[in-house]
Amino acid sequence: VEPLATDNTEQGTLTCPFPLPPLTIAPGVQLSWPDDGETHVLESAPDSQGPWTQMNVVPVVQDGQFTFCVRTDAQRRFFRLR
């Protein structure tokens, strides 16, 4: 077996001969909760005390979890299941 790269050494540092992959951070948050067979309603509010508003969303089941992505903006939001 031949090494992937030769003459790529630095003392105390590992050097990768391949370019670093680009990292993209999406402007959103992924919310998820277990698929426990119950029907839950996702609500959001600008403050932890409310007023709470039902979100008109249909989450996707992924790996036994209900999953939904929420776009982030400059406003603070709180989420809860009811």
Side-chain angles (χ1 to χ4, degrees), residues 5-52:
T6 59
D7 298 324
N8 283 341
T9 60
E10 290 181 30
Q11 186 173 358
T13 304
L14 296 176
T15 303
C16 180
F18 307 106
L20 294 175
L23 175 64
T24 304
I25 299 174
V29 174
Q30 180 175 330
L31 305 174
S32 63
W33 58 93
D35 179 3
D36 59 3
E38 299 291 324
T39 302
H40 299 285
V41 175
L42 181 61
E43 297 179 330
S44 70
D47 186 87
S48 62
Q49 300 301 311
W52 292 94

Side-chain angles (χ1 to χ4, degrees), residues 31 33 39-46 50-59 68 70 77-82:
L31 305 174
W33 58 93
T39 302
H40 299 285
V41 175
L42 181 61
E43 297 179 330
S44 70
W52 292 94
T53 304
Q54 181 175 337
M55 297 184 68
N56 190 20
V57 298
V58 178
F68 175 71
V70 179
R77 305 296 296 170
F78 292 83
F79 300 94
R80 74 178 182 184
L81 290 176
R82 187 173 52 83

